[in-house]
Amino acid sequence: MDDQTFDEACRFIIKLGEAAHRYGVTTYRLESFLSQVSTALGINGQFAVTPLSISFNFLREGEQWQRSHFARMSGIDFNMARLTQISELMEQIASGKVTVLEGPARLEEIDRMPNPYGPLMLALAYGLAGAGFAVLMSSSWCDVLFGGLLSLVVYAIVFIAGRLQWVGSMLEPLAALTVAVLANGLALAAPGSNPFIVTMCALIVLVPGFGLVLGLGELSVNHMVSGASRLLGAIVVTCKLFFGAAIGALIA
């Protein structure tokens, strides 16, 4: 393998790893996929993945020195549709169906994929999640209605947070505070309503259940740094929701 081909393959593996990390692949799965892809491309690659960084190390046969690249990741934007496409691309490269020259174009196509769900569909999903959780809690139909309505308020805050950075930086406590105040206000207008249950139902979408499961899963396969980081991050988000809701209840 000449220098140009080796450099192109390394750059492609770096782009592939950054894209997969951004869309939410697990640490151990990403390291495994990158190792398979590098082996298929004739490169001895070693990788260390954490929730906030990826370390790439490449070694060509017959050489003593490694070529290293450190990528700091800003965060994870969970996108199952794009993640599925990335996983399929990795498998196609490992099996030789896609070459290094074709890979970058495929990555760009995946990055440009439109969101399959628009704002109205997402708003409906938020509302149904809040109302459905109230049903699971065996709440009154009044709480089911209020849980669904306040879930729409949460979606509105999430929607704004995607466009205003200062709102995004305090999304969880702001949403919890707003919902708690509104839930207690609705309880005054409808005495049969339980503001605690309504608040829980409205905020259930923001509870980082996926992060908790992902952290525990990585700890179970001895990825201590990544698993502990994800688990602690999910716990911190949950605490933000709890304290925001508590402050809102006190204000109301």
Side-chain angles (χ1 to χ4, degrees):
M1 182 183 295
D2 57 37
D3 289 342
Q4 182 177 357
T5 303
F6 180 75
D7 289 341
E8 288 178 353
C10 291
R11 283 194 292 268
F12 173 67
I13 293 172
I14 290 170
K15 291 181 179 179
L16 188 64
E18 290 176 346
H21 186 284
R22 185 166 61 250
Y23 299 139
V25 69
T26 60
T27 296
Y28 54 88
R29 189 179 180 193
L30 179 55
E31 290 180 354
S32 174
F33 271 143
L34 290 177
S35 296
Q36 292 176 21
V37 170
S38 61
T39 300
L41 297 178
I43 298 173
N44 182 10
Q46 296 179 348
F47 312 95
V49 181
T50 72
L52 294 177
S53 66
I54 309 177
S55 178
F56 300 86
N57 296 283
F58 304 105
L59 180 65
R60 188 163 50 178
E61 277 191 41
E63 290 188 356
Q64 183 177 2
W65 304 107
Q66 292 182 340
R67 301 187 186 183
S68 300
H69 177 82
F70 179 81
R72 180 172 291 279
M73 307 302 295
S74 58
I76 297 174
D77 179 20
F78 293 108
N79 190 312
M80 294 295 105
R82 292 180 180 176
L83 183 57
T84 300
Q85 295 295 322
I86 290 287
S87 299
E88 291 179 357
L89 176 59
M90 288 182 172
E91 292 175 356
Q92 290 170 352
I93 294 170
S95 62
K97 296 179 181 178
V98 176
T99 66
V100 174
L101 297 178
E102 299 170 339
R106 292 288 302 276
L107 279 178
E108 292 180 3
E109 291 178 5
I110 294 172
D111 282 334
R112 292 196 299 265
M113 282 178 56
N115 192 335
Y117 306 107
L120 291 178
M121 186 64 70
L122 289 175
L124 178 61
Y126 270 70
L128 291 177
F133 189 70
V135 173
L136 290 176
M137 297 288 289
S138 300
S139 302
S140 65
W141 288 110
C142 181
D143 288 346
V144 172
L145 175 62
F146 289 161
L149 290 175
L150 293 186
S151 294
L152 296 178
V153 174
V154 171
Y155 173 70
I157 297 174
V158 171
F159 184 82
I160 295 171
R163 287 151 179 78
L164 297 177
Q165 185 175 3
W166 70 270
V167 177
S169 63
M170 54 187 302
L171 170 62
E172 292 85 6
L174 179 61
L177 176 66
T178 304
V179 166
V181 170
L182 292 176
N184 281 273
L186 290 173
L188 294 176
S193 176
N194 186 328
F196 176 75
I197 295 296
V198 172
T199 301
M200 284 182 55
C201 295
L203 296 175
I204 193 63
V205 177
L206 297 183
V207 175
F210 185 73
L212 290 168
V213 172
L214 197 60
L216 292 172
E218 293 186 344
L219 286 174
S220 68
V221 292
N222 295 323
H223 281 263
M224 299 302 178
V225 174
S226 180
S229 178
R230 293 186 193 276
L231 185 61
L232 182 59
I235 291 173
V236 168
V237 171
T238 305
C239 290
K240 288 180 181 179
L241 292 171
F242 174 79
F243 286 117
I247 293 172
L250 290 175
I251 293 174

